[in-house]
Amino acid sequence: MRIAVAGGTGLTGTHVVEIARRRGHEAIPLSRHGGVDLVSGAGLPQALVGADTIIDVSNVNSMKTDVSVSFFAGATRNMLSSGQRAGVTHHIALTIVGADAVSEGYYAGKLSQERAIEASAVPWTILRSTQFHEFAALMYEIARAGPLHAAPRARIQPIAVREVAEHLVTLAESGPGGRVSELAGPREESLAAMVRAYARAIGHRGWMPEVSLPGALGRAQRNGALLPAPGATLGTQTFAEWLDALPDR
Ligand SMILES: NC(=O)c1ccc[n+]([C@@H]2O[C@H](COP(=O)([O-])OP(=O)(O)OC[C@H]3O[C@@H](n4cnc5c(N)ncnc54)[C@H](OP(=O)(O)O)[C@@H]3O)[C@@H](O)[C@H]2O)c1
């Protein structure tokens, strides 16, 4: 199968490309670095020639509603229309558990992505996953004021990105499935404890106060709205195992 991997050079996309190739597929990474802009559409029709399937793991790192909606809705519509013209028969998108639980910021973009796909004539699969274990590292970097790093309160059920990528390639092999069961890690964790454990693992020795993140996202994170629904498919690698496997620093 010829699979175009939108965002194929990113955290998830690198694994998807490697796994798809290992399973005998032709995987074509799409990224600006490789000459394809999903938002303007530049280079997209050429990159999709001969593709059967698109796996979309592209991303914009913004908490601003307008930036997130404009990226995810715009890139998705471009992929769907260029894909339809190129004969793509399966569009797969990775979105996020709780995409409809928070109506602003990054999550608004993920919901606009899902709606664009549902309205499309191209057969599709939408997979929602929980945050990756790497979310602890991201929070360590973001939740800080100068040298003081904070530990944000949240209930999450993090998963290994490698397991998400394996699942996406299996979904490509299975054909269009609509909304498939959510994917989450093996158990619920405290984000504050994860961020502190990550900080210790990379040699941070300072005091880290526990904080509540503001706004609708902070509330949803604390009250469990971003946890998977019953019946979710569960991965196997725990956060502690991911931490143990980090390269020595
Ligand atoms: N991280 C999590 O915890 C988590 C949890 C659940 C779901 N997800 C979803 O997983 C997906 C992948 O996230 P990630 O963290 O793996 O992404 P990432 O590491 O930030 O990678 C983003 C990819 O998108 C490409 N890209 C960005 N803008 C582009 C544009 N205009 N045109 C073409 N390519 C563009 C980037 O390449 P260039 O910069 O070269 O263009 C890169 O390959 C996202 O949709 C996210 O919502 C993430």
Side-chain angles (χ1 to χ4, degrees), residues 7-13 30-33 36-39 57-59 61 71-72 94-96 106 110 129-132 135:
T9 57
L11 174 62
T12 318
L30 313 182
S31 71
R32 287 168 299 183
H33 187 72
V36 176
D37 191 321
L38 301 169
V39 176
V57 284
S58 63
N59 194 30
N61 282 312
F71 176 83
F72 284 111
L94 176 63
T95 76
I96 195 157
Y106 183 80
K110 298 306 290 180
S129 92
T130 53
Q131 287 83 7
F132 310 150
F135 193 60

Side-chain angles (χ1 to χ4, degrees), residues 24-248:
H25 304 295
E26 193 181 351
I28 318 292
L30 313 182
S31 71
R32 287 168 299 183
H33 187 72
V36 176
D37 191 321
L38 301 169
V39 176
S40 72
L44 191 52
Q46 300 85 323
L48 291 178
V49 171
D52 308 288
T53 297
I54 296 173
I55 297 180
D56 178 15
V57 284
S58 63
N59 194 30
V60 65
N61 282 312
S62 174
M63 294 311 287
K64 294 194 171 134
T65 304
D66 56 342
V67 174
S68 182
V69 169
S70 138
F71 176 83
F72 284 111
T76 299
R77 286 197 198 102
N78 283 340
M79 278 185 269
L80 290 166
S81 57
S82 292
Q84 192 170 17
R85 281 193 290 276
V88 167
T89 53
H90 189 187
H91 182 96
I92 303 172
L94 176 63
T95 76
I96 195 157
V97 167
D100 44 4
V102 185
S103 57
E104 60 189 43
Y106 183 80
Y107 279 64
K110 298 306 290 180
L111 194 59
S112 72
Q113 176 184 22
E114 293 188 356
R115 290 195 170 138
I117 294 166
E118 285 171 326
S120 153
V122 178
W124 51 270
T125 301
I126 292 176
L127 173 67
R128 286 182 173 186
S129 92
T130 53
Q131 287 83 7
F132 310 150
H133 295 315
E134 284 80 359
F135 193 60
L138 181 70
M139 283 295 112
Y140 174 77
E141 292 304 333
I142 289 178
R144 64 181 295 183
L148 182 70
H149 292 260
R153 278 186 201 101
R155 299 176 60 191
I156 70 169
Q157 193 158 328
I159 183 158
V161 63
R162 181 84 186 172
E163 295 184 79
V164 176
E166 292 274 5
H167 201 73
L168 285 166
V169 177
T170 300
L171 290 173
E173 292 167 343
S174 308
R179 282 188 179 276
V180 292
S181 132
E182 293 180 345
L183 185 61
R187 65 180 187 218
E188 183 181 335
E189 307 273 0
S190 146
L191 179 62
M194 286 169 59
V195 175
R196 285 181 172 139
Y198 173 78
R200 276 196 305 279
I202 62 165
H204 180 99
R205 295 287 171 258
W207 173 65
M208 295 179 68
E210 196 163 311
V211 296
S212 291
L213 293 177
L217 178 58
R219 270 195 306 282
Q221 285 179 329
R222 285 192 299 283
N223 69 21
L226 306 187
L227 292 172
T233 302
L234 301 186
T236 58
Q237 190 192 43
T238 63
F239 177 71
E241 288 165 347
W242 175 82
L243 207 56
D244 281 347
L246 281 182
D248 286 338

